[in-house]
Amino acid sequence: MNAFMHVATRSHFRVAALFLLVSLGIGQSRARGQQDLVSFAGQTMGTTYSIKIAPPHDSLPDDLRFQVDAELRTVNDQMSTYLKSSEISQFNASDSTDWFDVSDATALVVKRALEISELTDGGFDVTVGPLVDAWSFGPAPRSNQIPDDASLERLKAATGYSHLHVRLHPPALRKDIPDLRIDLSAIAKGHGVDRIVELLRSTGAENVFVEIGGEIRTTGAKPSGPWMVGIQAPDQAMNRPAIAHGLTNAAIATSGDYRNFFMIDGVRYSHTIDPRTGRPVKHDVASVSVITDDCMSADAWATAINVLGPNAGIKAAKAEGLDVLVIHRNEDGYDAAATGQFQTYVDQLTTVKVSNDANPKDESSLVARVLPLAVVTAVFMGIVVTGMAVGVMFGRRAISGSCGGLNSKTNPDGSTSCSLCSNPSDACKELREKMQAEKPAAENVTS
């Protein structure tokens, strides 16, 4: 089992909301021509990673993929909660409240996590794991049971970022509560992306695309233009892109909950647990995408704003100067709110929603398409009928179907003669003359 396999889905579900808009190769390849990319992919942290390197890449080492895998294994060794030997697992297992030595990287990640915890007043909290487990969104089998209030209060007492401390020189962690444990799954993948980007740049690669489990960072560009990433529509049933965005020298991460929740008595329980309440968030946010300079921060902020909700999340994004796209549900579908460079897409997303709602508009469009055809048909039929009338008037010919003028005539016995001629013919003419000749006799009989 990979180290982050369950961790990746416990405090936040890192949806496959981001994806490459160029094809991904499996296994290292170096294709022909200056337009081709070096690409390879693999598995790490319970998910997949993919890397693309655009020309020039002649100086890349032959064992580049080995170096990448080794770097990612180091991240696991430091921050996985599923490796009992990792630094974080050993810190969690310890009941000491003294400083606990860790690597520079682990201390750096925890420091950034605590900074975002402070900025969000606890909306982001790497100690929330026990509460996530209580709502059955942890590694244990899903029970879809609502924990009782007493259990939640007891677990809340054993959590809280304010009980976690970090120092960088020398790097170490400390906790006030012996049972306090931390889970870096909401920030470690982004950190892993940053480390691979730096590794690639150390080899001379300037134009790179690195993705781990949907968290992405790019440098430079492809020969054909900027690296393009897509943000998936928060649709549970379909995988369809909502927008495509060119990403240059930046990182993007997305957090969403539209595939990880349970329903009880019509109430939706999100897997996103608010550390401040110990309960699933109640707002209508479907997904949050964040662009920052480094992927570690984008990773953490995506989860943090998902907890804060659309209003507080946008407020925090503006305060921190973040580029954020929040897609939230409404009765008809989705709405979007954004800051920074994502504002470009709000109208686009709104237009999609309006189009879905605009059945009257669609009906109007249908009428507009059919009306010209109906007018042409009516004019044509009018010309045909007029021509037939003129023919009858000047040609002294009865119109087919009128029974030669006999359809309203009755025989002396009360029957009609229309059935004798469906088309004016000599037989009709003879019949009409015969009736005219017999009329005086008949009238005489009547009188």
Side-chain angles (χ1 to χ4, degrees):
M1 178 182 296
N2 290 305
F4 283 79
M5 181 169 292
H6 294 294
V7 184
T9 61
R10 58 192 310 175
S11 62
H12 72 300
F13 179 52
R14 194 60 75 190
V15 296
L18 301 173
F19 57 92
L20 256 175
L21 295 182
V22 294
S23 60
L24 295 176
I26 303 300
Q28 185 166 352
S29 63
R30 189 190 296 267
R32 294 172 299 176
Q34 289 299 314
Q35 299 300 314
D36 294 330
L37 307 176
V38 171
S39 65
F40 56 94
Q43 295 185 330
T44 186
M45 304 182 193
T47 183
T48 59
Y49 76 81
S50 62
I51 292 171
K52 284 189 172 290
I53 305 170
H57 43 57
D58 293 338
S59 63
L60 295 179
D62 293 335
D63 65 343
L64 180 59
R65 179 168 184 170
F66 176 83
Q67 293 186 38
V68 168
D69 286 335
E71 189 72 13
L72 293 174
R73 282 196 299 272
T74 301
V75 176
N76 270 333
D77 291 340
Q78 294 167 337
M79 304 176 200
S80 169
T81 55
Y82 280 83
L83 289 178
K84 294 185 181 302
S85 60
S86 74
E87 293 177 355
I88 292 301
S89 292
Q90 293 185 38
F91 174 75
N92 288 342
S94 172
D95 58 4
S96 173
T97 56
D98 295 332
W99 284 106
F100 186 93
D101 294 340
V102 296
S103 63
D104 289 336
T106 298
L108 179 66
V109 171
V110 173
K111 178 177 180 294
R112 185 59 178 145
L114 292 180
E115 290 173 350
I116 296 177
S117 296
E118 290 283 352
L119 292 171
T120 58
D121 194 24
F124 183 77
D125 192 337
V126 294
T127 73
V128 74
L131 291 165
V132 175
D133 295 345
W135 286 93
S136 78
F137 290 113
R142 181 72 59 84
S143 67
N144 294 351
Q145 297 294 316
I146 301 174
D148 59 75
D149 292 344
S151 297
L152 292 177
E153 290 303 316
R154 185 178 66 256
L155 292 171
K156 279 187 64 180
T159 64
Y161 73 94
S162 62
H163 299 297
L164 177 64
H165 309 278
V166 60
R167 73 182 185 200
L168 300 183
H169 308 291
L173 306 178
R174 185 172 66 80
K175 51 188 175 182
D176 298 331
I177 303 173
D179 292 337
L180 188 77
R181 62 183 176 89
I182 61 177
D183 184 341
L184 301 179
S185 62
I187 190 171
K189 288 201 301 296
H191 168 71
V193 170
D194 290 333
R195 285 173 67 160
I196 298 304
V197 169
E198 294 306 317
L199 170 65
L200 297 175
R201 294 175 72 174
S202 71
T203 66
E206 298 178 350
N207 306 299
V208 304
F209 177 104
V210 178
E211 177 264 345
I212 299 178
E215 328 300 29
I216 296 171
R217 182 175 168 183
T218 70
T219 64
K222 298 179 296 180
S224 59
W227 300 103
M228 298 297 293
V229 297
I231 296 179
Q232 189 173 347
D235 190 317
Q236 184 180 358
M238 300 176 62
N239 291 323
R240 55 189 176 91
I243 64 172
H245 182 75
L247 190 70
T248 302
N249 299 324
I252 183 171
T254 293
S255 176
D257 75 341
Y258 53 93
R259 287 176 176 160
N260 197 9
F261 62 90
F262 63 82
M263 303 284 291
I264 296 180
D265 297 331
V267 178
R268 190 178 194 274
Y269 293 90
S270 169
H271 83 286
T272 303
I273 305 301
D274 189 337
R276 301 165 297 183
T277 65
R279 290 171 167 78
V281 297
K282 294 183 177 179
H283 53 67
D284 55 6
V285 170
S287 72
V288 175
S289 297
V290 179
I291 293 177
T292 60
D293 293 337
D294 65 284
C295 201
M296 175 173 62
S297 297
D299 194 0
W301 272 111
T303 297
I305 293 176
N306 200 10
V307 171
L308 295 178
N311 297 327
I314 291 294
K315 182 178 179 180
K318 290 179 177 177
E320 295 303 313
L322 303 174
D323 298 307
V324 172
L325 175 65
V326 178
I327 301 177
H328 56 94
R329 306 177 188 86
N330 59 29
E331 294 180 353
D332 303 319
Y334 300 99
D335 277 325
T339 63
Q341 54 190 298
F342 277 128
Q343 288 181 309
T344 303
Y345 304 110
V346 171
D347 290 342
Q348 175 181 330
L349 294 170
T350 302
T351 300
V352 171
K353 182 183 73 67
V354 171
S355 176
N356 290 337
D357 295 343
N359 290 331
K361 182 179 179 180
D362 292 341
E363 291 174 359
S364 299
S365 299
L366 179 61
V367 171
R369 292 194 300 271
V370 171
L371 184 59
L373 179 62
V375 171
V376 171
T377 302
V379 171
F380 175 76
M381 290 301 296
I383 293 173
V384 170
V385 171
T386 301
M388 293 174 66
V390 171
V392 169
M393 292 173 61
F394 294 96
R396 294 185 175 276
R397 300 187 63 182
I399 298 174
S400 176
S402 68
C403 218
L406 299 176
N407 57 339
S408 61
K409 303 293 184 180
T410 55
N411 296 320
D413 59 359
S415 64
T416 66
S417 300
C418 185
S419 59
L420 296 178
C421 53
S422 59
N423 187 41
S425 64
D426 293 340
C428 291
K429 181 180 179 181
E430 291 176 2
L431 177 60
R432 185 164 50 252
E433 292 174 348
K434 180 180 179 182
M435 292 179 65
Q436 290 295 330
E438 293 175 350
K439 184 176 179 181
E443 290 175 348
N444 291 336
V445 170
T446 302
S447 62

